[in-house]
Amino acid sequence: MGIDIDKVRAETPGCANVVHLNNAGAALPPRPVIDAVAAHLEREAMTGGYEAHEASAGAAGRFYDAVAGLIGARRDEIAYVENATRAWDMAFYAVPFGEGDRILTTTSEYSSNAIAYQQVARRRGATVEVVPDDAHGQISLDALAGALARGGVRLVSLNHIPTQNGLVNPVAEVGRLCREAGALFLLDACQSVGQLAVDVTEIGCDLLSSTGRKYLRGPRGTGFLYVRREALGTLEPPFLDLQAAEWHAPDRYEPRDDARRFETWERFVAGQIGLGVAADYAAALGVEAIEDRVTGLAERLRSLLAEHSGVTVLDRGAHRSGLVTFTVEGHDAMDMKLSLREKGINVSVTVPRAHGYLPDAPDAAVRASVHYYNTEEELGRLVEALPR
Ligand SMILES: *Cc1c(COP(=O)(O)O)cnc(C)c1O
């Protein structure tokens, strides 16, 4: 069943205000998310932060079921973390790397992750290998299988959808290869949760990180980590507080036996409630319907852009996402972004410093990222507003 576009736009106050094509940066939240966050902030102000949390324990707890349900996990496999970077870090730095351990990743990896790989390589003597791309620009499964066969791989870590390119990595095939080789699989699903039908069992990842504000349409300053039950025992988080672990004075501690060992006690409670509402909102629309709509609109935009003279669409991949990147000959990407902003159209610019290991990245490109609430008419307005 398709999405009722008029209804979701009516429930998204920002739609009446702006043509928002920066959903890979931060999407417009729907009214139920805005109301849930505002109501909790109000409750904190009126009754006290701890008291408000106790009164809203049900709504805060709903977060775990909502997120777990959305990605096919169990509630005790979900941790609430303040953003995707920190969720990913908590997982990555929990892996007990030793001298000579191999880390395999992909060319389009997010630069923050690349920095972490290098830090662990320096500190622990692990090695980082960037698996080459296939002809479509996504991770080569043949090259990955070959790299795994050489042994010693502690971790395979890659993005589902890179931040700077429309490709979708073949993560279920990667998961199958990792299971066969007995390697841990960490998936950066920051751009895919809320955009594609993401199922952790189908993908076969051990760890998955994502953010609230992008395709999930949740509040800023929220994110989550999924940790497969079977992987938990070998992973001790780099930081543990008095809720993540039990303290036995004077010298013993016991980490929690669920994914919440990756959390801290203090948190943005209104955000946790809001992210739960956002996950429920996405699930109610249906992740398959969302995926169909987003990928359909993005392909429509690519074909409109292809008709515009001077435009080069840069997206690669056998499957492509809602992120559309392009350049216009003779025009600076940042200038275009600012001039579009003046016309009420939001896009963003991807810059080389975000581009992990990509050798042939352009200096800068415009990124127009569509969501299901965008319309064909809005796509037309973007293309119309581009320089001739
Ligand atoms: C945005 C992004 C991140 C970082 O997410 P934050 O919530 O900003 O920490 C990580 N990986 C990818 C692929 C992203 O696009």
Side-chain angles (χ1 to χ4, degrees):
M1 214 184 68
I3 296 172
D4 183 341
I5 303 304
D6 291 338
K7 178 163 183 288
V8 294
R9 287 181 67 82
E11 287 172 355
T12 306
C15 283
N17 193 47
V18 70
V19 175
H20 192 65
L21 298 169
N22 188 16
N23 295 290
L28 300 172
R31 180 50 78 189
V33 171
I34 304 165
D35 289 349
V37 174
H40 191 75
L41 291 177
E42 189 66 28
R43 200 171 300 126
E44 287 181 341
M46 296 311 291
T47 68
Y50 286 31
E51 294 74 13
H53 193 182
E54 283 165 21
S56 305
R62 174 68 207 158
F63 158 82
Y64 298 98
D65 299 298
V67 169
L70 192 70
I71 63 168
R74 292 169 24 170
R75 92 189 299 274
D76 65 352
E77 294 176 315
I78 303 297
Y80 175 62
V81 188
E82 67 258 40
N83 55 59
T85 301
R86 205 46 95 227
W88 186 95
D89 285 340
M90 288 296 275
F92 176 72
Y93 286 96
V95 179
F97 292 105
E99 188 69 33
D101 278 349
R102 297 169 66 210
I103 300 168
L104 303 183
T105 186
T106 186
T107 59
S108 61
E109 192 64 346
Y110 195 60
S111 295
S112 298
N113 303 357
I115 292 169
Y117 302 143
Q118 219 46 52
Q119 190 183 52
V120 159
R122 283 200 194 138
R123 283 184 179 168
R124 311 249 191 101
T127 61
V128 185
E129 292 163 53
V130 182
V131 176
D133 294 339
D134 69 9
H136 301 289
Q138 63 198 23
I139 188 168
S140 160
L141 296 169
D142 287 342
L144 176 64
L148 283 165
R150 290 194 285 282
V153 176
R154 171 69 76 175
L155 181 72
V156 174
S157 175
L158 49 96
N159 64 78
H160 195 176
I161 296 176
T163 195
Q164 72 285 344
N165 179 311
L167 72 85
V168 181
N169 273 309
V171 290
E173 291 79 358
V174 170
R176 188 171 44 74
L177 293 172
C178 289
R179 276 199 302 279
E180 283 166 17
L184 204 63
F185 179 17
L186 165 58
L187 184 64
D188 175 348
C190 203
Q191 294 291 358
S192 58
V193 175
Q195 172 177 174
L196 305 180
V198 171
D199 183 300
V200 290
T201 309
E202 224 166 85
I203 295 169
C205 53
D206 300 291
L207 301 149
L208 177 150
S209 55
S210 195
T211 203
R213 73 179 186 281
K214 295 181 180 174
Y215 277 86
L216 266 177
R217 311 181 65 195
R220 290 202 68 168
T222 67
F224 72 87
L225 176 67
Y226 155 79
V227 185
R228 182 180 298 286
R229 182 84 229 173
E230 295 72 31
L232 189 74
T234 60
L235 299 171
E236 181 165 319
F239 309 116
L240 289 165
D241 74 358
L242 80 182
Q243 181 179 272
E246 199 172 325
W247 173 235
H248 302 283
D251 60 3
R252 274 196 325 110
Y253 65 87
E254 191 65 46
R256 278 181 71 113
D257 71 352
D258 62 17
R260 294 175 68 179
R261 66 168 59 174
F262 290 91
E263 295 186 346
T264 48
W265 181 84
E266 173 56 2
R267 62 194 55 208
F268 175 30
V269 178
Q272 178 175 338
I273 294 169
L275 184 50
V277 172
D280 278 333
Y281 191 86
L285 292 174
V287 286
E288 272 89 14
I290 293 173
E291 176 171 341
D292 282 354
R293 170 81 183 169
V294 171
T295 49
L297 279 177
E299 286 307 330
R300 176 81 189 122
L301 178 56
R302 290 186 187 101
S303 55
L304 288 174
L305 286 167
E307 289 162 16
H308 195 85
S309 72
V311 171
T312 307
V313 176
L314 303 167
D315 302 322
R316 306 194 63 195
H319 298 280
R320 294 188 293 190
S321 73
L323 283 63
V324 180
T325 51
F326 61 93
T327 52
V328 182
E329 204 185 330
H331 294 275
D332 178 70
M334 190 55 79
D335 291 346
M336 283 190 278
K337 170 184 140 168
L338 295 175
S339 117
L340 289 167
R341 174 86 52 84
E342 280 172 13
K343 295 171 183 157
I345 302 171
N346 293 343
V347 296
S348 68
V349 169
T350 72
V351 290
R353 67 184 173 82
H355 291 205
Y357 308 96
L358 285 177
D360 53 355
D363 287 345
V366 177
R367 183 184 69 185
S369 45
V370 302
H371 215 322
Y372 56 76
Y373 53 69
N374 290 126
T375 61
E376 293 220 7
E377 192 259 333
E378 289 180 317
L379 304 184
R381 280 180 61 189
L382 166 68
V383 177
E384 269 306 295
L386 290 176
R388 299 259 143 207

